[in-house]
Amino acid sequence: MSGWPLVAAARQVVHDRFLFYSCLSWWESPETAFRRRRGYCAQYNGALAAVLKELGVDCRLVHALRVHVPEDPSWRMGHVWVQVRVDGEARD
């Protein structure tokens, strides 16, 4: 497997692993959160980036200090996600 199908498979593995969204352990590394099966966006996406890098996929974490949420203009939280590049094409 390679390319975008490999990225999709890795994403599914990480998704299936994280059973609970949790902000109880801000200090845990993505690896620890993966092992404990809980975490928030930085831990989940940090774990996904680590898996993708181990598989040889070009990726990076993207950090936003504040995310615009049309349904809730008062939202003040940041967010972290993974940007992946395969064959010159980047996707978030």
Side-chain angles (χ1 to χ4, degrees), residues 7-69:
V7 172
R11 185 174 157 227
Q12 189 64 51
V13 166
V14 173
H15 171 78
D16 292 346
R17 182 72 188 170
F18 276 79
L19 298 176
F20 305 101
Y21 179 86
S22 171
C23 291
L24 297 176
S25 303
W26 292 102
W27 60 89
E28 288 183 349
S29 69
E31 294 81 7
T32 300
F34 185 85
R35 191 174 61 252
R36 293 187 175 169
R37 304 179 75 123
R38 66 172 189 227
Y40 63 103
C41 62
Q43 293 164 323
Y44 172 90
N45 287 302
L48 177 56
V51 169
L52 291 170
K53 286 179 183 181
E54 189 69 26
L55 293 170
V57 176
D58 181 21
C59 66
R60 70 183 184 105
L61 289 175
V62 179
H63 303 265
L65 294 177
R66 197 158 104 190
V67 178
H68 175 71
V69 180

